[in-house]
Amino acid sequence: NTPLDAVVALDADHDVLMERMKKRAEIEASDDTPEAIAKRLDVYAKETAPLLATYEERGLLKTFNGVGSVEEIQATIVAELG
């Protein structure tokens, strides 16, 4: 029952996401395989992404470019949302 002012969605190409997750898996020595990463992205597309339409209908969805440094993306979001 918490009211929302906005819902933030970061947009990035599937291939960019795959590369980021592969690099993270290498750095963190996780057991994420390319297959596990692809499955995670597939689950997101099927189960989570459809919620974006609901938030968009409510006028709450704010979509930002998710490609760039964390600092750049954060600055863009803060500038837009205040």
Side-chain angles (χ1 to χ4, degrees), residues 23-38:
K23 286 180 185 175
R24 186 181 72 191
E26 291 171 6
I27 292 169
E28 296 178 5
S30 78
D31 59 353
D32 282 344
T33 63
E35 295 80 17
I37 293 168

Side-chain angles (χ1 to χ4, degrees), residues 2-81:
T2 303
L4 297 174
D5 295 326
V7 173
V8 172
L10 299 177
D11 187 37
D13 183 70
H14 184 273
D15 292 336
V16 171
L17 295 175
M18 287 291 292
E19 284 304 312
R20 283 184 183 171
M21 294 171 114
K22 286 179 191 177
K23 286 180 185 175
R24 186 181 72 191
E26 291 171 6
I27 292 169
E28 296 178 5
S30 78
D31 59 353
D32 282 344
T33 63
E35 295 80 17
I37 293 168
K39 180 175 172 139
R40 187 176 310 134
L41 291 174
D42 186 51
V43 168
Y44 172 82
K46 289 179 182 172
E47 297 180 13
T48 304
L51 292 172
L52 298 179
T54 299
Y55 292 124
E56 186 170 32
E57 288 172 7
R58 295 178 185 175
L60 296 171
L61 184 64
K62 305 289 183 189
T63 302
F64 297 91
N65 183 355
V67 178
S69 72
V70 171
E71 294 79 15
E72 291 170 335
I73 297 167
Q74 179 185 12
T76 302
I77 294 170
V78 170
E80 175 73 24
L81 298 181

